[in-house]
Amino acid sequence: MTTDRRSALLVAAACAATVVAGLGVAAQHRVNGELGQVIDDGFTAALISFSSGLVLLLVATAASPRARAAFRAIRPLLASGELRWWMLLGGFGGAFLVLGQSLVASILGVAIFTVATVTGQTAMGLWIDATGFAGSRRAPVTTQRLLGTLLTLAAVVVAVAPEIGGRVPVAALLLPLLAGLGVGAQAAVNGRVRTATGSPIAATTINFIIGTTALAVATGVHLLIAGLPDRLPSDPALYIGGALGAGFIAIQTITVARIGVLILGLCLVMGQLVGALVLDLVLPIGVATTASTAIGAALTLVGVLIAAIPSRRRDRPRRASQAGA
């Protein structure tokens, strides 16, 4: 197998894994949205979700000598400057996403919550790939990538526009929009931590430690004001949000180094929208899905393919120049 063919297969596998991660994100939107609705407390629901994921990751870390060694390496990496302290704060993005799920996903529905998140993810992914933020693999903003991104944004408009100002309050879209920006940045810094430590488990666990800490502080303040929720649900399915989060964040920390933040974001978008469409049809919550959501998902798929497929014309000169060097 040639090097180019092997590289193309690895990129395809990374894209497919990231789409699966996107399906997990949509499922987490649904689970955490219902948990927040049932207990009528989005802050507590978010903390339950994130902390349960942290418990699973701490167990995995304890069982992995490589992950434990990676944790011990964090301090020397910070001291040497290979990692900056702010690169460990990716968990803030995840925490804000989970909080948004618990607070407004039950109002917006999974599909509309997802497309609002997508807007922030796509914009952040384009900026990060263009600037190489946090040591990410830089990728120039070519016409092909820009077209794919614009199609994805058009999908967002198509999917959400019919509901704006009606059943969907504009203010409720702000949380998932900001969460999308945070998720895009989270992928970049988590990927950098994974590269430096050599352990996706360690990078994901650090993400959950930071996110759980942030949510614990926010929830503590909230509970002092609002009081404890009346009850917790008995349905075990409502407590799997943390496990879903641990899974899709671990996938992102591995695939981002291969495909870059923009393509990672677009593949996540595709998985999220397709998953959201299915979930809103099978297990609806909040605003019911419409034909516009399906059209938006189709446009997203086209945008992902345009942005993700390498441009042969662009690659040939690069290989030629490398051969002559």
Side-chain angles (χ1 to χ4, degrees):
M1 183 183 295
T2 65
T3 302
D4 285 348
R5 181 170 175 77
R6 181 174 181 274
S7 178
L9 287 175
L10 288 173
V11 168
C15 287
T18 306
V19 171
V20 172
L23 295 172
V25 176
Q28 190 192 53
H29 292 343
R30 176 64 177 78
V31 170
N32 288 344
E34 184 169 352
L35 179 60
Q37 183 183 57
V38 169
I39 66 176
D40 195 25
D41 188 338
F43 285 87
T44 300
L47 180 59
I48 289 172
S49 174
F50 228 84
S51 58
S52 64
L54 175 60
V55 170
L56 293 175
L57 286 165
L58 289 175
V59 171
T61 299
S64 169
R66 184 177 180 182
R68 296 198 303 271
F71 261 98
R72 291 193 294 270
I74 292 293
R75 183 173 292 182
L77 288 170
L78 289 171
S80 68
E82 186 172 347
L83 279 179
R84 300 293 186 88
W85 64 269
W86 52 265
M87 293 178 180
L88 304 180
L89 303 182
F92 282 116
F96 201 80
L97 173 66
V98 171
L99 182 60
Q101 292 168 350
S102 302
L103 289 172
V104 301
S106 62
I107 299 172
L108 300 177
V110 177
I112 292 178
F113 184 93
T114 297
V115 293
T117 307
V118 161
T119 305
Q121 278 181 255
T122 306
M124 182 61 75
L126 186 65
W127 178 79
I128 288 174
D129 268 10
T131 61
F133 171 73
S136 298
R137 183 172 63 87
R138 298 188 73 166
V141 183
T142 62
T143 302
Q144 181 175 316
R145 282 174 167 253
L146 188 58
L147 177 59
T149 302
L150 289 175
L151 274 174
T152 306
L153 293 174
V156 173
V157 173
V158 169
V160 78
E163 306 297 339
I164 292 294
R167 290 178 291 175
V168 175
V170 176
L173 292 171
L174 185 59
L175 273 178
L177 177 62
L178 294 176
L181 294 172
V183 167
Q186 174 186 250
V189 295
N190 284 352
R192 182 71 183 88
V193 174
R194 184 258 176 183
T195 300
T197 62
S199 171
I201 294 177
T204 308
T205 303
I206 291 169
N207 177 94
F208 269 72
I209 290 172
I210 296 298
T212 301
T213 301
L215 285 172
V217 172
T219 303
V221 173
H222 167 74
L223 292 178
L224 286 174
I225 299 171
L228 293 170
D230 293 334
R231 62 185 179 88
L232 293 178
S234 58
D235 184 357
L238 296 180
Y239 297 96
I240 66 171
L244 291 169
F248 67 68
I249 290 175
I251 291 173
Q252 291 176 59
T253 62
I254 296 170
T255 59
V256 67
R258 173 64 57 179
I259 60 178
V261 175
L262 175 61
I263 303 302
L264 178 137
L266 292 175
C267 290
L268 281 173
V269 164
M270 183 171 67
Q272 286 178 70
L273 279 179
V274 171
L277 179 61
V278 172
L279 285 168
D280 270 0
L281 289 172
V282 177
L283 298 169
I285 185 174
V287 175
T289 191
T290 63
S292 61
T293 307
I295 296 172
L299 281 176
T300 300
L301 175 59
V302 175
V304 169
L305 291 175
I306 290 174
I309 295 175
S311 169
R312 294 179 181 273
R313 219 177 328 186
R314 190 173 67 246
D315 289 344
R316 280 192 192 121
R318 184 185 302 171
R319 286 198 292 269
S321 64
Q322 288 173 346

